[in-house]
Amino acid sequence: SAVISQKPSRDICQRGTSLTIQCQVDSQVTMMFWYRQQPGQSLTLIATANQGSEATYESGFVIDKFPISRPNLTFSTLTVSNMSPEDSSIYLCSVDSGGGETQYFGPGTRLLVL
Amino acid sequence: SQQGEEDPQALSIQEGENATMNCSYKTSINNLQWYRQNSGRGLVHLILIRSNEREKHSGRLRVTLDTSKKSSSLLITASRAADTASYFCARGNAGGTSYGKLTFGQGTILTVHP
């Protein structure tokens, strides 16, 4: 199984600012995913990030708001731009286990926007 | 919504009792998975059942799948206080542009009292 770390683990930010979340995996993986989990809610997929190509965003999420980088097979970043209190959520990255079925998840980044 | 429905939303039981959680979905699936989340942290994969399977076991976990009713259930037998967590079903989508993506249900909050 893959071990995934995220930085920061939590942050409190002011509205209008941006935060970049890092996701590091201990092995090379092709597919990485970014999810948002709003308070008391389930996970919603933001985008799929494959190394060497542009991230693919789900309906309701746009690159200007959530730019993603995937510079190599073990690392990705998600930026939450021009934040508002509605962006307060847990942001989780995950990686495909190798067969396009199960995923391994990072511990999440808990974001509070004031 | 494309997300599955889970019931109950919350379940409170005593240690030693069994816990049953249900998940329904709307579109065709490649597989149905169950994940566990402790206190807003990262998710841990529990068990996967493929669309051509009807029942699967893993330790104290038993999962059933009824594709005709588009529903699945997760049974945890002889529950322990350490089983207290949120449980999510996730629909593994078919191939093509949905390859590797998961669609999560709303989740069930399980509390097991010592």
Side-chain angles (χ1 to χ4, degrees), chain A residues 9-10 31 33 35 37 40-45 48 56-58 90 92 96 98-108 110, chain B residues 3 6 30-31 33 35 37 39-45 47-48 50 88-89 92-93 97 99-107:
Chain A
S9 59
R10 59 177 61 226
M31 301 179 74
F33 306 91
Y35 291 87
Q37 186 177 26
Q41 302 296 314
S42 184
L43 281 74
T44 301
L45 181 63
T48 303
T56 304
Y57 289 83
E58 298 300 305
I90 299 172
L92 300 111
D96 174 59
E101 292 185 327
T102 60
Q103 293 179 15
Y104 301 118
F105 282 82
R110 190 180 293 268
Chain B
Q3 292 185 325
E6 287 188 59
N30 185 38
N31 60 71
Q33 306 175 35
Y35 287 81
Q37 183 180 39
S39 301
R41 301 291 290 171
L43 276 71
V44 174
H45 178 258
I47 193 166
L48 176 151
R50 292 193 169 80
F88 294 92
C89 67
N93 299 304
T97 58
Y99 179 80
K101 294 182 182 179
L102 296 177
T103 303
F104 283 85
Q106 294 302 308

Side-chain angles (χ1 to χ4, degrees), chain A residues 39-113:
Chain A
Q41 302 296 314
S42 184
L43 281 74
T44 301
L45 181 63
I46 297 172
T48 303
N50 293 335
Q51 196 269 336
S53 63
E54 296 290 323
T56 304
Y57 289 83
E58 298 300 305
S59 176
F61 298 96
V62 294
I63 188 172
D64 290 346
K65 176 67 176 177
F66 297 101
I68 289 171
S69 78
R70 182 79 201 274
N72 57 53
L73 290 172
T74 63
F75 188 78
S76 178
T77 66
L78 169 76
T79 299
V80 186
S81 303
N82 188 25
M83 290 184 286
S84 67
E86 291 71 35
D87 294 318
S88 298
S89 296
I90 299 172
Y91 292 86
L92 300 111
C93 69
S94 73
V95 303
D96 174 59
S97 65
E101 292 185 327
T102 60
Q103 293 179 15
Y104 301 118
F105 282 82
T109 295
R110 190 180 293 268
L111 171 62
L112 176 63
V113 184

Side-chain angles (χ1 to χ4, degrees), chain B residues 56-87:
Chain B
K56 206 162 185 180
H57 296 81
S58 177
R60 293 184 296 115
L61 305 180
R62 172 177 168 253
V63 170
T64 61
L65 178 65
D66 187 334
T67 53
S68 66
K69 296 181 179 178
K70 289 187 168 55
S71 68
S72 175
S73 67
L74 172 68
L75 169 66
I76 303 174
T77 59
S79 64
R80 306 165 181 167
D83 294 329
T84 295
S86 294
Y87 291 82

